[in-house]
Amino acid sequence: MRKLLFIAALVSLVPIVSACASASAKTNPAERPPLSVPPPPPRVIESAPQPDPVPEPVPELPAAPAPAPRSRPTRDSASRQESPKSPDPKGGEAAAAEPVGPAPTPAQPAPQLRTPQTADSSEAERNVRSTIDRANRSLGGVNFAPLSNDRKKAYNDAKMFIQQAEEALKQGNFVFAQGVATKAETLARELASR
């Protein structure tokens, strides 16, 4: 019975297989005619004709404004102001002095940039010192040997921040010193809590 079913299945597949074979034979590229490709177009590019320029009347330009007086005198203007005019070579009166505008005011020096200091610098220094002391106490309670590599790096960073705060205190930069001391204290507290 199995043989009979197998033979019936093969017989039913024969028309499908023959149809596929004939379909693939129709798509053979050898039977198609070659494509005819047109020749490329010529590469001549013509430029558009330019119109003749039409001269337009140019309106009169307004007079240029007088230059503003200089804020600080140059060497030439300073020597002109200081040197008196010599008498006329013909023995006449002295030449009229040039009218000089108001004396230029000296430029104000730029204010020096300094870190903002509190009203009492000794109070600011005390605040930084107390923050550094708290950070040192927290780091003193941390055992360095069993720490992981990340935590050892944090420990070393806290020590570096403390050192930077000390240097900033010596220079009188209380704002920067407080900032790095606070960073050191934060890292030290985190290390001590674990």
Side-chain angles (χ1 to χ4, degrees):
M1 174 93 145
R2 287 185 184 175
K3 289 184 183 181
L4 187 59
L5 286 173
F6 182 70
I7 294 175
L10 283 178
V11 172
S12 64
L13 288 177
V14 171
I16 296 173
V17 172
S18 63
C20 290
S22 64
S24 66
K26 289 181 183 176
T27 60
N28 190 358
E31 295 176 5
R32 291 188 181 161
L35 295 176
S36 61
V37 178
R43 296 285 179 177
V44 177
I45 300 173
E46 294 182 22
S47 61
Q50 296 291 331
D52 292 335
V54 177
E56 294 182 19
V58 178
E60 281 191 36
L61 297 175
R70 294 184 180 176
S71 61
R72 56 179 193 168
T74 59
R75 289 184 188 179
D76 295 333
S77 64
S79 64
R80 275 189 249 138
Q81 290 175 357
E82 292 175 7
S83 64
K85 295 290 182 182
S86 62
D88 193 11
K90 295 181 181 177
E93 299 175 17
E98 288 183 15
V100 178
T105 58
Q108 295 289 334
Q112 292 182 356
L113 297 177
R114 294 184 181 170
T115 57
Q117 295 183 0
T118 60
D120 187 12
S121 61
S122 62
E123 181 181 342
E125 185 176 355
R126 266 188 306 230
N127 289 339
V128 174
R129 289 268 179 222
S130 66
T131 306
I132 291 173
D133 291 340
R134 287 191 303 266
N136 276 328
R137 272 186 259 124
S138 295
L139 283 178
V142 175
N143 188 2
F144 184 78
L147 294 177
S148 67
N149 287 339
D150 290 336
R151 293 174 56 82
K152 285 181 181 179
K153 182 184 179 317
Y155 184 92
N156 290 333
D157 287 346
K159 287 286 194 181
M160 180 189 63
F161 287 144
I162 290 171
Q163 186 179 18
Q164 286 178 349
E166 293 284 347
E167 289 172 6
L169 275 178
K170 290 176 186 174
Q171 296 173 358
N173 190 348
F174 301 117
V175 175
F176 180 72
Q178 184 64 48
V180 292
T182 303
K183 287 180 183 180
E185 182 184 16
T186 304
L187 283 173
R189 282 184 184 172
E190 185 178 315
L191 289 169
S193 67
R194 293 183 183 175

